[in-house]
Amino acid sequence: MFKKWAIDDDGIRKISYLCGMNDLSRHIEYLLLTHNCVIVPQFGAFVAHVNNAHRIESEEFFFPPHRVVRFNPDLTEDDGLLVDVVRAVHRCPTPEAKRKIQGMILQLRQQLLAEGQADFGRIGNFTQDEDGRLSFSACQAGVATPSFYGLDTFPMSKLTSLQRRGKAAESRKLPTDNATNNDKHIVIRISRRTLRYATAAAAVILICVLFTPPLQVQRERLAQQASILSTSREVNEEKSLLTMTPQAAPIAPTSVQTKTVAEATDKTAVIEEAATKAKGAYAIVVASNVSQKNAERYVADLQQRGYENATIHDNGKMLRVVLSGYADETEAYNRNAALHREGREFASSWVMKL
């Protein structure tokens, strides 16, 4: 979407779209940059609310404040704000600007009647049931505002966890400090587990020494056992000679079969390694904490615009829209910097390790 600035008859600087001049959602999106309420005559009002900053404890991430739009169908009285913008963009008198707005509203209602839903740009989408009840679902990514430019998500740990890490580091330094302060004393620390192991080993050794028979008795027992084994072995050999029958020798695998199995194993390993490299270990998060429906719609929009690696990442607690497939961290950060230069849509994107 290309834009240019123009000055109307009253000397007020207005924005003009070079494409999509009849798109009602773009006019409202522009007005929501500087206004908290935009009324569409005989249709309803779009009211912007600020969601406070919050922190997700399980992931230790801090999310900055952002604006979310809600739709109020009871506010339909024309305040002239939308009419002024349409009049400045199309350079037409006020009556013609009102007719253009009514035509946009009529087109929106016809689409809702025919399809039951209508995409309203980056503000959200409308749905209408069989009874004609209208509902609005806002985009979870929020509406842009200059007040929140530059704010991004960042990791933030609890102070208690940082204190525990500091105490653990100090406890590791205590033995060296005591050794330097008390040069005349040597302190040897033995854990209870090591002491129990040493006691059990000493008890086993003592039992073996006390209850082991003399060496001469052991030799006589070994000699008796050897004579018995030799006699039984001779008897078994004689029986085996009488009852032995020829048996077929096992067939050894050929060299061709061994080579085929080895080649199949190597191909499987190469395919698995290529799949692992293609998946990538890093991704760029472009939207967080979104619903399933909004995430699917946003991914489809990104893929139509050329971002073919746009996918939905679900960690079991939150849905995110990510650009995946980056093998290392440097590649992911370079691509993230390029996205920041492409426009304000990716101003808050960040790199995540999968």
Side-chain angles (χ1 to χ4, degrees):
M1 180 178 60
F2 301 95
K3 307 174 183 178
K4 70 176 182 179
W5 292 97
I7 299 176
D8 61 357
D9 299 336
D10 300 330
I12 302 175
R13 192 169 67 167
K14 301 290 184 181
I15 194 168
S16 175
Y17 295 94
L18 296 180
C19 62
M21 300 286 284
N22 58 348
D23 193 352
L24 182 62
S25 64
R26 292 181 179 177
H27 296 306
I28 297 174
E29 182 182 355
Y30 162 68
L31 289 172
L32 287 174
L33 286 172
T34 53
H35 297 79
N36 291 328
C37 180
V38 177
I39 299 176
V40 180
Q42 299 179 5
F43 184 71
F46 294 88
V47 183
H49 298 270
V50 176
N51 280 356
N52 296 328
H54 63 282
R55 176 181 176 273
I56 298 180
E57 185 174 357
S58 59
E59 299 186 2
E60 293 189 348
F61 268 99
F62 178 83
F63 290 87
H66 64 283
R67 297 174 75 211
V68 177
V69 176
R70 298 174 184 173
F71 179 72
N72 187 352
D74 297 330
L75 297 177
T76 58
E77 185 176 355
D78 186 11
D79 59 354
L81 188 62
L82 182 61
V83 175
D84 290 340
V85 171
V86 175
R87 181 174 57 85
V89 169
H90 294 275
R91 297 180 181 179
C92 61
T94 300
E96 186 178 351
K98 291 182 178 180
R99 286 194 297 271
K100 289 182 180 293
I101 294 174
Q102 293 300 323
M104 297 175 191
I105 297 172
L106 180 60
Q107 184 180 2
L108 177 60
R109 292 186 181 277
Q110 289 177 350
Q111 184 178 355
L112 288 172
L113 186 61
E115 302 178 5
Q117 63 177 0
D119 188 4
F120 210 63
R122 285 180 288 186
I123 301 176
N125 62 336
F126 284 99
T127 57
Q128 183 173 321
D129 57 10
E130 297 178 355
D131 297 332
R133 287 190 295 268
L134 190 65
S135 60
F136 176 74
S137 176
C139 180
Q140 295 296 328
V143 178
T145 176
S147 302
F148 298 151
Y149 285 173
L151 300 180
D152 198 359
T153 305
F154 60 88
M156 184 176 67
S157 302
K158 281 187 176 181
L159 182 60
T160 54
S161 61
L162 297 177
Q163 290 175 349
R164 284 197 299 269
R165 295 172 190 171
K167 290 181 180 179
E170 291 178 359
S171 63
R172 288 194 295 268
K173 295 180 180 179
L174 285 178
T176 57
D177 296 340
N178 293 335
T180 55
N181 295 332
N182 302 322
D183 295 334
K184 297 180 180 181
H185 302 280
I186 298 176
V187 180
I188 300 176
R189 292 182 172 85
I190 302 176
S191 64
R192 294 182 180 179
R193 181 180 296 177
T194 305
L195 185 59
R196 287 196 297 267
Y197 289 160
T199 305
V204 171
I205 294 172
L206 182 60
I207 291 172
C208 293
V209 172
L210 293 178
F211 294 95
T212 302
L215 184 60
Q216 185 63 27
V217 176
Q218 290 183 359
R219 289 180 179 177
E220 293 177 358
R221 290 180 180 177
L222 291 175
Q224 293 176 359
Q225 292 176 0
S227 62
I228 293 171
L229 290 174
S230 62
T231 305
S232 62
R233 187 181 299 110
E234 291 176 359
V235 173
N236 292 332
E237 289 179 356
E238 291 178 358
K239 291 181 178 180
S240 63
L241 290 173
L242 295 174
T243 61
M244 183 175 63
T245 57
Q247 297 179 358
I251 300 174
T254 63
S255 60
V256 177
Q257 293 176 346
T258 306
K259 185 176 180 181
T260 305
V261 173
E263 290 178 354
T265 305
D266 294 340
K267 290 181 179 180
T268 305
V270 170
I271 293 173
E272 291 179 353
E273 183 179 0
T276 303
K277 291 183 179 180
K279 184 179 180 182
Y282 292 87
I284 300 175
V285 180
V286 297
S288 299
N289 197 15
V290 297
S291 62
Q292 181 70 29
K293 186 175 182 180
N294 288 337
E296 293 175 355
R297 184 171 57 84
Y298 192 28
V299 167
D301 180 47
L302 289 174
Q303 291 179 352
Q304 289 180 358
R305 289 186 287 159
Y307 301 95
E308 298 180 354
N309 59 339
T311 58
I312 299 175
H313 180 266
D314 186 4
N315 61 355
K317 300 177 181 178
M318 178 190 299
L319 288 180
R320 291 190 174 99
V321 178
V322 300
L323 302 180
S324 61
Y326 301 100
D328 51 28
E329 188 175 4
T330 303
E331 181 184 0
Y333 275 101
N334 291 338
R335 180 53 182 159
N336 188 35
L339 287 175
H340 288 178
R341 293 191 295 269
E342 290 182 8
R344 73 173 184 218
E345 180 181 357
F346 305 109
S348 60
S349 61
W350 54 282
V351 176
M352 178 181 67
K353 185 177 181 181
L354 299 177

